[in-house]
Amino acid sequence: MTVFFKTIGFSIGLALVFTLVTQLLPQVEGEAPVETKVDLASLTMDDFVAMGEDLFMNKGTCTLCHKPPPIGRAPDIQSMDMVSTSSERLADERYQGESKDAADYILESMIDPSKFVVAGWGKKGSNDTVSPMPAVDKAPIQLSAMEMDAIIAYLQAKDGNEVTISLPSPEAAAEVVAAAPAAGGVAPAPAATAEEALGKYACSACHAMDSEDPLVGPGLATVGARLSETEIRQSIVDPAAVITEGFPPAMPADFAEKMTVRELEMLVQHLAEKK
Ligand code: HEC
Ligand code: HEC
């Protein structure tokens, strides 16, 4: 009898371990990316808007932060009419920028986010004068002017507003390989180094890498001194397992699905060495 139960206990334990391992194991080495050039000569405004939506969800990493409460770490701009919101921002006495209309304001929010900080959303301790949003035309996100235009077109069009952005000229866009699968785009290549992986997954949009100052998440300059390799790996593949005190559960939960094993291990090694 006892032996029987012990065996069952052992099998259950084993089954649990197996499920855990499967859950923790990200997809295997990424397949070679397929590069597709978008035919911009025949691009319509609907295509451009679709490209903007895709950039918003994927390459632009906007939905890392801009998503509905309570998980959102930024105003839920997908459910806000950004054209009427822009008029309110421009009329606000705290507004410090030079924008004249909604398209200007949205662009300014992307490249110089501290020009206007939405009340309650400023960086901790800055009294709403410094935005925690990274400039999206800079590394790691690095959108081109055309990509930002596509996002503006999307934000205008999604609520039925007139799109005031012009389509890119075929010449200007000829060399662009779009990141937008909607427009026939590309699966990103596996990163070759830890630094590349930090950029590819926009970790530094939320984490300072050279200081301990909090951004959206904790600074990681000396993370290797407070977390073991195992804990760092878990923070990346299963962020909800342990929530760092004083921070919201805002870290994306799908890195394990997106990363290759090699990318994950490079990141873990790199962070574990930061002491
Ligand atoms: C790391 C988190 C983060 C990411 C990534 C991010 N944002 Fe933001 N964004 C914020 C926060 C926080 C605010 C509110 C503070 C402020 O006004 O700057 C904000 C504000 C804005 C605003 C102004 C909203 C308003 O109500 O006036 C716009 C527009 C915007 N973001 C667009 C974008 C777009 C487009 C992207 C992707 C290309 C993006 N953001 C990526 C955090 C982020
Ligand atoms: C949208 C913002 C966001 C992004 C993007 C993000 N993180 Fe985080 N991260 C957080 C937040 C918030 C916490 C603290 C809450 C928690 O523990 O989940 C955190 C916690 C962590 C921790 C634990 C830190 C500690 O001191 O306890 C590690 C390690 C970490 N992140 C690594 C990464 C890596 C590597 C990436 C990129 C692959 C990444 N993060 C991307 C927001 C983010």
Tab-separated table of all heavy atoms in Angstrom, residues 56 60-62 65-66 73-75 77 80 82 85 89 105 109-110 113 116-118 121 131-134 136 143 151 205-206 216, ligand 1:
chain	number	residue	atom	x	y	z
A	56	PHE	N	2.519	49.497	-34.109
A	56	PHE	CA	2.075	49.828	-32.750
A	56	PHE	C	2.122	48.588	-31.856
A	56	PHE	O	2.568	48.633	-30.711
A	56	PHE	CB	0.652	50.392	-32.806
A	56	PHE	CG	0.181	51.018	-31.515
A	56	PHE	CD1	0.385	52.378	-31.275
A	56	PHE	CD2	-0.459	50.267	-30.547
A	56	PHE	CE1	-0.046	52.960	-30.089
A	56	PHE	CE2	-0.891	50.839	-29.353
A	56	PHE	CZ	-0.686	52.198	-29.124
A	60	GLY	N	7.125	48.662	-32.691
A	60	GLY	CA	7.107	49.893	-31.901
A	60	GLY	C	7.042	49.626	-30.402
A	60	GLY	O	7.298	50.520	-29.600
A	61	THR	N	6.683	48.418	-30.010
A	61	THR	CA	6.547	47.991	-28.615
A	61	THR	C	5.575	48.859	-27.802
A	61	THR	O	5.602	48.843	-26.577
A	61	THR	CB	7.906	47.929	-27.846
A	61	THR	OG1	8.382	49.247	-27.594
A	61	THR	CG2	8.947	47.149	-28.599
A	62	CYS	N	4.719	49.628	-28.486
A	62	CYS	CA	3.823	50.561	-27.781
A	62	CYS	C	2.931	49.813	-26.785
A	62	CYS	O	2.675	50.303	-25.686
A	62	CYS	CB	2.957	51.323	-28.767
A	62	CYS	SG	3.837	51.900	-30.238
A	65	CYS	N	3.443	49.024	-22.916
A	65	CYS	CA	3.016	49.944	-21.853
A	65	CYS	C	1.593	50.435	-22.066
A	65	CYS	O	0.834	50.579	-21.123
A	65	CYS	CB	3.951	51.148	-21.798
A	65	CYS	SG	5.670	50.685	-21.502
A	66	HIS	N	1.248	50.745	-23.322
A	66	HIS	CA	-0.084	51.281	-23.602
A	66	HIS	C	-1.074	50.142	-23.760
A	66	HIS	O	-1.262	49.617	-24.849
A	66	HIS	CB	-0.065	52.132	-24.879
A	66	HIS	CG	0.713	53.399	-24.711
A	66	HIS	ND1	0.217	54.496	-24.051
A	66	HIS	CD2	1.952	53.745	-25.103
A	66	HIS	CE1	1.117	55.465	-24.052
A	66	HIS	NE2	2.189	55.034	-24.679
A	73	ARG	N	0.845	50.390	-18.239
A	73	ARG	CA	1.778	51.275	-17.563
A	73	ARG	C	1.770	52.637	-18.227
A	73	ARG	O	2.731	53.382	-18.142
A	73	ARG	CB	3.204	50.691	-17.611
A	73	ARG	CG	3.404	49.484	-16.725
A	73	ARG	CD	3.033	49.775	-15.272
A	73	ARG	NE	3.807	50.899	-14.713
A	73	ARG	CZ	3.330	51.796	-13.862
A	73	ARG	NH1	2.078	51.763	-13.479
A	73	ARG	NH2	4.109	52.763	-13.398
A	74	ALA	N	0.716	52.954	-18.927
A	74	ALA	CA	0.630	54.216	-19.660
A	74	ALA	C	-0.840	54.401	-20.032
A	74	ALA	O	-1.611	53.448	-19.985
A	74	ALA	CB	1.502	54.142	-20.901
A	75	PRO	N	-1.225	55.630	-20.416
A	75	PRO	CA	-2.614	55.834	-20.836
A	75	PRO	C	-2.984	54.833	-21.931
A	75	PRO	O	-2.161	54.523	-22.795
A	75	PRO	CB	-2.608	57.266	-21.387
A	75	PRO	CG	-1.391	57.922	-20.812
A	75	PRO	CD	-0.403	56.836	-20.533
A	77	ILE	N	-4.035	54.452	-24.929
A	77	ILE	CA	-4.337	55.306	-26.084
A	77	ILE	C	-5.073	54.573	-27.198
A	77	ILE	O	-5.670	55.196	-28.054
A	77	ILE	CB	-3.083	56.031	-26.656
A	77	ILE	CG1	-1.999	55.052	-27.074
A	77	ILE	CG2	-2.520	56.991	-25.648
A	77	ILE	CD1	-0.766	55.745	-27.628
A	80	MET	N	-8.554	55.488	-26.567
A	80	MET	CA	-8.822	56.930	-26.504
A	80	MET	C	-8.842	57.473	-27.927
A	80	MET	O	-8.112	56.998	-28.778
A	80	MET	CB	-7.686	57.651	-25.740
A	80	MET	CG	-7.634	57.339	-24.250
A	80	MET	SD	-5.976	57.529	-23.507
A	80	MET	CE	-5.600	59.257	-23.784
A	82	MET	N	-7.302	59.828	-29.984
A	82	MET	CA	-6.108	60.649	-29.788
A	82	MET	C	-6.212	62.013	-30.471
A	82	MET	O	-5.452	62.910	-30.162
A	82	MET	CB	-4.843	59.904	-30.249
A	82	MET	CG	-4.212	58.998	-29.199
A	82	MET	SD	-4.063	59.725	-27.522
A	82	MET	CE	-2.910	61.057	-27.797
A	85	THR	N	-8.129	63.998	-27.816
A	85	THR	CA	-7.223	64.090	-26.656
A	85	THR	C	-6.130	65.121	-26.927
A	85	THR	O	-5.780	65.914	-26.063
A	85	THR	CB	-6.564	62.720	-26.363
A	85	THR	OG1	-7.592	61.758	-26.175
A	85	THR	CG2	-5.693	62.771	-25.129
A	89	ARG	N	-4.719	68.305	-24.726
A	89	ARG	CA	-3.325	68.456	-24.273
A	89	ARG	C	-2.770	69.814	-24.692
A	89	ARG	O	-2.084	70.477	-23.928
A	89	ARG	CB	-2.427	67.366	-24.868
A	89	ARG	CG	-2.895	65.946	-24.620
A	89	ARG	CD	-2.877	65.585	-23.160
A	89	ARG	NE	-3.195	64.166	-22.975
A	89	ARG	CZ	-4.062	63.702	-22.079
A	89	ARG	NH1	-4.710	64.555	-21.283
A	89	ARG	NH2	-4.272	62.412	-21.963
A	105	TYR	N	1.226	66.601	-32.299
A	105	TYR	CA	1.266	66.215	-30.880
A	105	TYR	C	1.648	64.740	-30.727
A	105	TYR	O	2.458	64.378	-29.877
A	105	TYR	CB	-0.073	66.489	-30.184
A	105	TYR	CG	-0.077	65.979	-28.757
A	105	TYR	CD1	0.652	66.641	-27.761
A	105	TYR	CD2	-0.745	64.807	-28.411
A	105	TYR	CE1	0.701	66.150	-26.460
A	105	TYR	CE2	-0.698	64.309	-27.112
A	105	TYR	CZ	0.021	64.977	-26.143
A	105	TYR	OH	0.077	64.477	-24.859
A	109	SER	N	4.906	63.378	-28.929
A	109	SER	CA	4.827	62.411	-27.818
A	109	SER	C	5.782	61.256	-28.048
A	109	SER	O	6.283	60.664	-27.096
A	109	SER	CB	3.420	61.816	-27.704
A	109	SER	OG	2.473	62.798	-27.427
A	110	MET	N	6.043	60.913	-29.327
A	110	MET	CA	6.915	59.779	-29.606
A	110	MET	C	8.389	60.145	-29.526
A	110	MET	O	9.210	59.347	-29.083
A	110	MET	CB	6.600	59.194	-30.990
A	110	MET	CG	5.282	58.435	-31.030
A	110	MET	SD	5.088	57.470	-32.545
A	110	MET	CE	4.388	58.682	-33.646
A	113	PRO	N	8.957	62.778	-25.385
A	113	PRO	CA	7.790	62.503	-24.529
A	113	PRO	C	7.631	63.452	-23.340
A	113	PRO	O	6.524	63.627	-22.858
A	113	PRO	CB	8.024	61.068	-24.036
A	113	PRO	CG	9.069	60.494	-24.917
A	113	PRO	CD	9.851	61.610	-25.493
A	116	PHE	N	5.113	66.970	-22.817
A	116	PHE	CA	3.884	67.001	-22.025
A	116	PHE	C	3.733	65.651	-21.339
A	116	PHE	O	3.729	64.623	-21.997
A	116	PHE	CB	2.646	67.272	-22.894
A	116	PHE	CG	1.388	67.352	-22.050
A	116	PHE	CD1	1.080	68.513	-21.357
A	116	PHE	CD2	0.564	66.244	-21.903
A	116	PHE	CE1	-0.047	68.581	-20.537
A	116	PHE	CE2	-0.565	66.310	-21.087
A	116	PHE	CZ	-0.869	67.479	-20.402
A	117	VAL	N	3.662	65.680	-20.005
A	117	VAL	CA	3.523	64.427	-19.268
A	117	VAL	C	2.099	64.344	-18.728
A	117	VAL	O	1.666	65.210	-17.975
A	117	VAL	CB	4.553	64.362	-18.114
A	117	VAL	CG1	4.401	63.052	-17.351
A	117	VAL	CG2	5.971	64.499	-18.666
A	118	VAL	N	1.376	63.331	-19.165
A	118	VAL	CA	-0.010	63.156	-18.727
A	118	VAL	C	-0.028	63.011	-17.197
A	118	VAL	O	0.769	62.240	-16.646
A	118	VAL	CB	-0.637	61.905	-19.384
A	118	VAL	CG1	-2.096	61.745	-18.951
A	118	VAL	CG2	-0.537	62.004	-20.903
A	121	TRP	N	1.188	60.088	-14.650
A	121	TRP	CA	1.963	59.083	-15.373
A	121	TRP	C	3.444	59.423	-15.450
A	121	TRP	O	4.202	58.745	-16.137
A	121	TRP	CB	1.431	58.910	-16.797
A	121	TRP	CG	0.097	58.236	-16.873
A	121	TRP	CD1	-1.092	58.835	-17.175
A	121	TRP	CD2	-0.197	56.855	-16.641
A	121	TRP	NE1	-2.096	57.901	-17.156
A	121	TRP	CE2	-1.585	56.682	-16.838
A	121	TRP	CE3	0.578	55.744	-16.298
A	121	TRP	CZ2	-2.204	55.442	-16.693
A	121	TRP	CZ3	-0.044	54.522	-16.157
A	121	TRP	CH2	-1.419	54.385	-16.355
A	131	SER	N	8.790	62.137	-18.436
A	131	SER	CA	8.032	60.971	-18.893
A	131	SER	C	8.895	59.719	-18.810
A	131	SER	O	10.073	59.754	-19.164
A	131	SER	CB	7.603	61.173	-20.351
A	131	SER	OG	6.990	59.987	-20.818
A	132	PRO	N	8.328	58.591	-18.368
A	132	PRO	CA	9.077	57.335	-18.398
A	132	PRO	C	9.098	56.707	-19.789
A	132	PRO	O	9.717	55.681	-20.012
A	132	PRO	CB	8.309	56.434	-17.430
A	132	PRO	CG	6.924	56.986	-17.388
A	132	PRO	CD	6.990	58.437	-17.779
A	133	MET	N	8.404	57.344	-20.748
A	133	MET	CA	8.354	56.761	-22.097
A	133	MET	C	9.674	57.013	-22.825
A	133	MET	O	10.195	58.114	-22.798
A	133	MET	CB	7.183	57.378	-22.873
A	133	MET	CG	7.176	56.960	-24.316
A	133	MET	SD	5.583	57.239	-25.112
A	133	MET	CE	6.148	57.406	-26.806
A	134	PRO	N	10.241	55.983	-23.462
A	134	PRO	CA	11.490	56.193	-24.221
A	134	PRO	C	11.186	56.900	-25.543
A	134	PRO	O	10.100	56.729	-26.089
A	134	PRO	CB	11.967	54.764	-24.482
A	134	PRO	CG	10.723	53.925	-24.464
A	134	PRO	CD	9.754	54.597	-23.535
A	136	VAL	N	10.973	56.977	-29.160
A	136	VAL	CA	10.886	55.761	-29.972
A	136	VAL	C	11.665	55.859	-31.294
A	136	VAL	O	11.754	54.891	-32.032
A	136	VAL	CB	9.414	55.337	-30.228
A	136	VAL	CG1	8.680	55.133	-28.898
A	136	VAL	CG2	8.680	56.336	-31.105
A	143	LEU	N	12.321	53.679	-34.454
A	143	LEU	CA	11.409	53.746	-35.597
A	143	LEU	C	11.895	54.825	-36.565
A	143	LEU	O	12.461	55.831	-36.143
A	143	LEU	CB	9.994	54.103	-35.119
A	143	LEU	CG	9.287	53.106	-34.197
A	143	LEU	CD1	7.888	53.599	-33.851
A	143	LEU	CD2	9.206	51.730	-34.845
A	151	ILE	N	2.162	55.101	-37.781
A	151	ILE	CA	1.495	54.998	-36.465
A	151	ILE	C	0.524	56.170	-36.264
A	151	ILE	O	-0.596	55.986	-35.778
A	151	ILE	CB	2.542	54.935	-35.329
A	151	ILE	CG1	3.249	53.581	-35.381
A	151	ILE	CG2	1.879	55.142	-33.963
A	151	ILE	CD1	4.341	53.383	-34.347
A	205	ALA	N	13.694	49.781	-22.711
A	205	ALA	CA	12.581	50.740	-22.657
A	205	ALA	C	12.069	50.810	-21.219
A	205	ALA	O	11.561	51.838	-20.788
A	205	ALA	CB	11.453	50.310	-23.598
A	206	CYS	N	12.183	49.733	-20.480
A	206	CYS	CA	11.636	49.681	-19.118
A	206	CYS	C	12.710	49.596	-18.033
A	206	CYS	O	12.421	49.816	-16.871
A	206	CYS	CB	10.701	48.493	-18.969
A	206	CYS	SG	9.219	48.631	-19.977
A	216	VAL	N	10.263	52.029	-15.726
A	216	VAL	CA	9.017	51.300	-15.497
A	216	VAL	C	9.323	50.117	-14.563
A	216	VAL	O	8.569	49.797	-13.649
A	216	VAL	CB	8.412	50.805	-16.826
A	216	VAL	CG1	7.184	49.948	-16.567
A	216	VAL	CG2	8.063	51.990	-17.711
B	1	HEC	C1	8.037	51.994	-21.652
B	1	HEC	C2	6.639	52.363	-21.711
B	1	HEC	C3	6.139	53.053	-22.991
B	1	HEC	C4	6.328	52.668	-24.306
B	1	HEC	C5	7.118	51.470	-24.837
B	1	HEC	C6	5.596	53.623	-25.115
B	1	HEC	N1	5.005	54.561	-24.324
B	1	HEC	FE1	3.848	56.128	-24.928
B	1	HEC	N2	3.692	56.785	-23.018
B	1	HEC	C7	4.151	56.098	-21.911
B	1	HEC	C8	3.752	56.819	-20.705
B	1	HEC	C9	4.073	56.390	-19.281
B	1	HEC	C10	3.017	57.944	-21.138
B	1	HEC	C11	2.363	59.003	-20.250
B	1	HEC	C12	3.379	60.023	-19.820
B	1	HEC	C13	3.590	61.027	-20.913
B	1	HEC	O1	2.680	61.813	-21.157
B	1	HEC	O2	4.659	61.032	-21.526
B	1	HEC	C14	2.999	57.901	-22.598
B	1	HEC	C15	2.386	58.836	-23.412
B	1	HEC	C16	2.153	58.690	-24.775
B	1	HEC	C17	1.334	59.554	-25.587
B	1	HEC	C18	0.565	60.765	-25.108
B	1	HEC	C19	-0.758	60.282	-24.550
B	1	HEC	C20	-1.665	61.370	-24.073
B	1	HEC	O3	-2.696	61.009	-23.469
B	1	HEC	O4	-1.412	62.560	-24.277
B	1	HEC	C21	1.351	59.056	-26.864
B	1	HEC	C22	0.636	59.614	-28.081
B	1	HEC	C23	2.188	57.875	-26.842
B	1	HEC	N3	2.660	57.677	-25.551
B	1	HEC	C24	2.448	57.085	-27.940
B	1	HEC	C25	3.283	55.967	-27.926
B	1	HEC	C26	3.569	55.185	-29.099
B	1	HEC	C27	2.984	55.431	-30.464
B	1	HEC	C28	4.455	54.205	-28.701
B	1	HEC	C29	5.106	53.141	-29.568
B	1	HEC	C30	5.785	53.603	-30.760
B	1	HEC	C31	4.691	54.373	-27.269
B	1	HEC	N4	3.959	55.444	-26.844
B	1	HEC	C32	5.520	53.566	-26.492
B	1	HEC	C33	4.875	54.936	-21.888
B	1	HEC	C34	5.313	54.242	-23.019
